[in-house]
Amino acid sequence: MAFFTLTPSAPRGNVPAIGQMLIAGLFFSAMHTSIRYLGMVDGMHPFEIAFFRNFFGLIVILPWVVRFGLRTLSTSRIKLHLLRASVSTASMLCGFYAFTIAPLAQVTALGFSGPIFATVLAVAFLSEKVGFRRWTAILTGFFGTLVAVKFGISGIELGPALAIAGAVGGGINICVVKVLGRTESAVTITAYMSLLMAPMSLIPALFFWEWPSLTQLVWLAFIGIAGNIGQILLVQALHDGDTNVVMPFDYVRLLWVAILSFFAFGEIPDGYTWSGGTIIFASAAYIAYRERYLAKQATATGKAKAYD
């Protein structure tokens, strides 16, 4: 598997990739449900949960640091790693807070808008060119976001607003990873993210610190480990399979969340969440597909990547 080495391996195909995406979605959904439980039911502050998610996430990363030694941390782009970690920490704090005060499925649906914001930001800051098709997908995705938050029907509450802020942060994160990916391995990128985000997220957590009980520590450990395993599986799925085949299966995450939130909290997603989430995800999936398609076309023809 490509993630487990400092050099990429050959893709394994769509069938393994689909399985990895489905399992990744289950891990992410279980993590988000656990965050909501600790924050809403158990009363733990989401900033403290975010710190422990990063702290225990290090457990998943440390074996690679041990295996590859200092090569794992070899980089000439430490400023970009610091930028990514800072943005990711802020995005995580917004998202975790949203999970504790807004319906789980709604926050998940809004989270799908990250790649849409990433495309807009890439145009603004990375000078990427986007044509009519992808601009149409972007505008459609924004419309889906308005549907999911019931814009015009009721005011946008704090939870959905934080979820959108987290998605914007996710979009910035995607852009930074695009730049880092030109020279850094997935191991190095993920290692720096975990090593930097743990101390960064500790600072806001200290303002709301309460020592967790043993039961809470078990939940927190699960959140950290599940989050990093899900991230690894997601990265590997996108490496092994075609984007247009694999990405639609990420939408199953909304179904996982709906099932878990129903049994854990009695929440039933409304029609606005399902409709908006479907529109947002369809737009993001199309953008991802066009990115991959145009990149492959450019590689095959030897010409610069087209835009449409």
Side-chain angles (χ1 to χ4, degrees), residues 7-48:
T7 55
S9 61
R12 298 197 304 160
N14 287 324
V15 174
I18 289 170
Q20 289 161 356
M21 183 65 83
L22 290 173
I23 298 171
L26 183 57
F27 272 105
F28 284 135
S29 301
M31 179 185 73
H32 295 159
T33 305
S34 301
I35 292 166
R36 184 164 178 78
Y37 171 78
L38 281 179
M40 188 181 75
V41 179
D42 221 28
M44 180 173 283
H45 197 279
F47 288 4
E48 189 173 357

Side-chain angles (χ1 to χ4, degrees), residues 2 5-8 71-72 81 180-181 183-191:
T5 65
L6 291 176
T7 55
R71 287 188 302 154
T72 307
H81 285 293
L180 283 172
T183 57
E184 315 280 276
S185 70
V187 177
T188 299
I189 292 172
T190 306

Side-chain angles (χ1 to χ4, degrees), residues 34 57 63 109 118 127 144 148 176-177 186 208-210 244 259 261 265 302:
S34 301
S127 301
V176 176
V177 170
F208 307 94
W209 191 268
E210 291 184 9
N244 60 310
I259 294 171
S261 61
F265 313 110

Side-chain angles (χ1 to χ4, degrees), residues 23-99:
I23 298 171
L26 183 57
F27 272 105
F28 284 135
S29 301
M31 179 185 73
H32 295 159
T33 305
S34 301
I35 292 166
R36 184 164 178 78
Y37 171 78
L38 281 179
M40 188 181 75
V41 179
D42 221 28
M44 180 173 283
H45 197 279
F47 288 4
E48 189 173 357
I49 299 173
F51 162 69
F52 278 105
R53 182 262 182 267
N54 291 314
F55 177 77
F56 284 110
L58 285 173
I59 295 174
V60 181
I61 298 301
L62 285 177
W64 284 276
V65 178
V66 172
R67 177 180 176 184
F68 297 114
L70 293 179
R71 287 188 302 154
T72 307
L73 303 179
S74 177
T75 182
S76 60
R77 318 194 80 171
I78 188 63
K79 290 182 180 180
L80 275 180
H81 285 293
L82 285 167
L83 173 63
R84 188 203 176 197
S86 300
V87 172
S88 295
T89 300
S91 177
M92 179 180 288
L93 294 177
C94 288
F96 276 36
Y97 206 112
F99 279 124

Side-chain angles (χ1 to χ4, degrees), residues 135-147:
W135 275 122
T136 301
I138 289 168
L139 294 175
T140 302
F142 286 138
F143 172 72
T145 302
L146 296 178
V147 172

Side-chain angles (χ1 to χ4, degrees), residues 1 12-27 229-230 232-238 240-242 245-250 252 256:
M1 296 173 73
R12 298 197 304 160
N14 287 324
V15 174
I18 289 170
Q20 289 161 356
M21 183 65 83
L22 290 173
I23 298 171
L26 183 57
F27 272 105
I229 290 176
I232 291 169
L233 288 169
L234 175 64
V235 171
Q236 192 64 40
L238 293 175
D240 284 341
D242 296 321
V245 175
V246 175
M247 277 300 293
F249 288 90
D250 189 34
V252 177
W256 290 135

Side-chain angles (χ1 to χ4, degrees), residues 167-292:
V168 173
I172 297 173
N173 183 38
I174 291 171
C175 290
V176 176
V177 170
K178 277 186 177 183
V179 177
L180 283 172
R182 297 168 186 167
T183 57
E184 315 280 276
S185 70
V187 177
T188 299
I189 292 172
T190 306
Y192 268 107
M193 182 186 73
S194 296
L195 290 170
L196 292 173
M197 285 181 68
M200 284 181 178
S201 57
L202 175 62
I203 297 172
L206 289 174
F207 289 95
F208 307 94
W209 191 268
E210 291 184 9
W211 286 103
S213 66
L214 181 59
T215 301
Q216 288 175 328
L217 279 174
V218 172
W219 279 103
L220 291 166
F222 172 77
I223 288 170
I225 294 171
N228 271 28
I229 290 176
Q231 186 66 37
I232 291 169
L233 288 169
L234 175 64
V235 171
Q236 192 64 40
L238 293 175
H239 169 79
D240 284 341
D242 296 321
T243 302
N244 60 310
V245 175
V246 175
M247 277 300 293
F249 288 90
D250 189 34
Y251 184 70
V252 177
R253 187 166 17 130
L254 189 56
L255 179 60
W256 290 135
V257 164
I259 294 171
L260 291 172
S261 61
F262 173 75
F263 284 106
F265 313 110
E267 295 178 356
I268 301 176
D270 59 22
Y272 292 101
T273 298
W274 284 111
S275 300
T278 301
I279 295 169
I280 292 168
F281 184 80
S283 302
Y286 180 78
I287 290 170
Y289 162 72
R290 291 304 298 176
E291 285 278 348
R292 183 73 173 263

Side-chain angles (χ1 to χ4, degrees), residues 107 150 246:
V107 177
K150 305 177 187 177
V246 175

